[in-house]
């Protein structure tokens, strides 16, 4: 770790209610947005780990609202778990460690927002699904998460990123980026841009349902990537879901769609060999079974009818976002190589194609659950 970061973390470590000395800290490479560290402390004679995280202010314009949501959501889930006398509670929901002055976050001299979580031990996440049971566990975990939040009381949660899943807005933003073509990159992506134009019609479907009230607004996770599910290292059971910055009002369909996007292909989201990118029916089936095992009790008919569609829509939308960022100069998603966001977009569109070919069979399976 660079000296700058080391010093910064030394300072951060003193701000929270952690009563130990920091021994070392490692950057955690998962995620495209925030800066995350796993820090080990000597505390009361044993080593204890915490997560320190700097919130990306470019992406989250009001980090205090992010934290307000986060506290409400985690406190609520915790009380639901307590009411059910669930064991191992501190591994079942994220726990925010307060600052020494009792706040949920600390703002340093640079104006950066830092927060700290209890490190959940004995779990791991995966970048891609290794067995259909894992897909079941992921579906179950996010369905349970939505279920726990279905009775959250009080004011509407803040929209931490306005229009986050406004698919029409995402589509229009892409067209603007194509129009601007700031870096003269559109010529490298003509096939992908054409693909988007061809499938434009799908972007309005869920928005219209939300507008008419046919699809209910609920509290949803909004970033249900498979690597946001923490699985017990021994049993493989899903313990909790993380990355709660975009928990806000939304549609469960966006959540389910992103699970389809990130579980059903055997590949990573930036796979370059497109022949390997495929929606696997057996994995989809397990995912849907897991999801309905915890969400089935509250989903409406209209929501259930669009579960297969949602996988296509979200893969398409995230592809649009990667493509837009590529055209704009890679300011949003962290990139690790040239053309990275274009590769990511291509992978999403290949997945969309694969879903289109199997969409009817996918929905037929859901209908009989
Ligand atoms: C971002 O940082 P990460 O990987 O958890 C993004 C998601 C995208 C995802 C694509 C706040 O999530 O919306 O689906 O990348 N998060 C935000 O991998 O934009
Ligand atoms: Mg995220």
């Amino acid at each position: 770790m660079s000296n700058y970061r080391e010093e910064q973390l030394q300072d951060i470590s003193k701000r929270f209610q952690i009563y130990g000395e920091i021994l070392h800290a490692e950057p955690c490479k998962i995620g495209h947005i925030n800066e995350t560290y796993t820090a080990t402390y000597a505390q009361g004679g044993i080593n204890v780990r915490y997560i320190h995280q700097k919130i990306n202010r470019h992406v989250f314009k009001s980090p205090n609202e992010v934290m307000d949501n986060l506290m409400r959501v985690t406190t609520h889930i915790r009380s639901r778990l307590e009411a059910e006398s669930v064991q191992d509670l501190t591994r079942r929901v994220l726990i925010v460690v307060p600052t020494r002055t009792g706040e949920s976050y600390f703002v340093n001299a640079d104006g950066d927002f830092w927060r700290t979580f209890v490190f959940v031990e004995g779990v791991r996440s995966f970048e891609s699904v290794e067995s259909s049971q894992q897909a079941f566990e992921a579906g179950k975990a996010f369905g349970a998460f939505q279920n726990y939040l279905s009775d959250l009381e009080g004011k509407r949660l803040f929209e931490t990123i306005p229009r986050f899943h406004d698919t029409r807005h995402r589509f229009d933003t892409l067209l603007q980026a194509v129009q601007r073509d700031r870096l003269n990159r559109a010529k490298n992506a003509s096939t992908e841009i054409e693909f988007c134009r061809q499938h434009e019609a799908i972007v309005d479907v869920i928005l219209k349902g939300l507008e008419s009230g046919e699809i209910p607004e609920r509290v949803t996770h909004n970033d249900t990537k498979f690597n946001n599910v923490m699985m017990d290292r021994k049993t493989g059971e899903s313990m909790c879901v993380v990355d709660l910055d975009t928990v806000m009002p939304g549609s469960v369909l966006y959540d389910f769609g992103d699970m389809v996007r990130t579980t059903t292909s055997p590949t990573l989201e930036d796979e370059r060999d497109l022949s390997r990118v495929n929606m696997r029916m057996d994995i989809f089936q397990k995912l849907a079974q897991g999801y309905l095992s915890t969400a089935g009790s509250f989903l409406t008919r209209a929501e259930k009818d669009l579960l297969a569609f949602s996988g296509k829509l979200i893969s398409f939308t995230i592809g649009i976002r990667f493509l837009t960022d590529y055209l704009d100069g890679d300011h949003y998603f962290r990139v690790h190589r040239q053309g990275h966001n274009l590769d990511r977009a291509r992978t999403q569109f290949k997945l969309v194609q694969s879903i289109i070919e199997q969409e009817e069979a996918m929905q037929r399976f859901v209908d009989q659950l």
Side-chain angles (χ1 to χ4, degrees), residues 31-33 164 223 225 243 261 269 318 321-322 332-333:
H32 301 323
I33 309 287
F164 190 59
D223 192 4
K225 274 170 98 162
D243 196 358
R261 179 181 80 86
E269 124 187 310
I318 307 287
R321 291 174 59 198
F322 286 142
Y332 191 93
F333 297 106

Side-chain angles (χ1 to χ4, degrees), residues 198-234:
Q198 269 170 18
H199 295 88
E200 174 177 356
I202 66 175
V203 302
D204 296 316
V205 174
I206 293 178
L207 291 172
K208 282 199 180 129
L210 282 165
E211 213 181 308
S212 70
E214 206 195 336
I215 297 172
E217 179 184 278
R218 302 181 190 273
V219 176
T220 54
H221 183 284
N222 293 305
D223 192 4
T224 55
K225 274 170 98 162
F226 181 56
N227 68 7
N228 281 331
V229 183
M230 296 295 134
M231 314 251 187
D232 188 280
R233 280 181 188 274
K234 289 207 186 94

Side-chain angles (χ1 to χ4, degrees), residues 53-68:
Q53 197 171 46
K54 185 170 99 179
I55 302 178
N56 183 327
R57 272 192 292 158
H58 170 66
V59 170
F60 297 102
K61 310 282 187 218
S62 308
N64 53 320
E65 295 185 353
V66 170
M67 293 310 291
D68 197 278

